Amino acid sequence: MGSAVYIGRWLKPVRELVTRLGPELASRPVWMFSSGPVGDPPKPSDDPVDAATAVAATGAREHRVFAGHVDKDTLGFAERAMVRTFRAAVGDFRDWEEIRGWAGDIDAQLRTIPPVSARSKMAGTSDRTTDPARIPACRSNPAKDKRA
């Protein structure tokens, strides 16, 4: 689970998703990421203010911050003003090799976790909280969501 970061915060729909589903997500393997710092070196260097709360609410195994992307041609008036005010660097600073490496690490860790049905049998219970069908998908459309 992850979010773009604007002015040090995750997008509102992602924050709301964590609030709504945090307890259910805590029973599943979760990794979190933030995409936002720009420049060389990427700034800001601090974690988003929402990250620690989201990790605690979901029991995420890890939170990783990746450099982001700022394309002035896609920004609205207010966003362009923020880029100027904060002197944010413009460009694509994402390190795709780092991102792929992290995804590969997650894949390797997930392969060591027994499937839900096996965990339920080992515990002698029906594990409803980890049943994927019981966790609703996030249906927000990032293209239509207002940035928070």
Side-chain angles (χ1 to χ4, degrees):
M1 168 183 278
S3 180
V5 178
Y6 289 93
I7 313 176
R9 302 224 39 192
W10 276 14
L11 298 177
K12 186 176 181 181
V14 180
R15 294 191 317 259
E16 291 171 346
L17 182 70
V18 168
T19 299
R20 191 172 76 245
L21 297 180
E24 289 194 54
L25 290 171
S27 66
R28 306 178 63 95
V30 174
W31 286 260
M32 297 186 142
F33 69 93
S34 298
S35 175
V38 293
D40 188 16
K43 294 180 183 175
S45 58
D46 299 332
D47 277 354
V49 296
D50 310 303
T53 302
V55 167
T58 62
R61 294 167 181 238
E62 181 182 6
H63 171 256
R64 180 79 62 95
V65 177
F66 295 106
H69 175 243
V70 175
D71 181 353
K72 282 177 97 170
D73 295 336
T74 64
L75 301 178
F77 176 77
E79 293 165 319
R80 284 193 307 273
M82 284 191 296
V83 166
R84 280 191 304 274
T85 300
F86 293 107
R87 294 187 177 107
V90 175
D92 189 347
F93 301 94
R94 296 172 291 189
D95 181 340
W96 291 107
E97 198 60 35
E98 178 186 12
I99 294 166
R100 278 190 284 277
W102 188 61
D105 292 346
I106 292 170
D107 177 60
Q109 291 177 55
L110 285 170
R111 291 176 186 275
T112 67
I113 299 170
V116 171
S117 59
R119 287 195 311 260
S120 298
K121 287 176 187 173
M122 287 188 300
T125 64
S126 75
D127 194 351
R128 293 178 180 225
T129 60
T130 57
D131 179 0
R134 295 189 41 89
I135 298 181
C138 175
R139 292 183 175 83
S140 66
N141 181 346
K144 291 184 179 180
D145 291 335
K146 294 181 181 177
R147 294 192 171 110

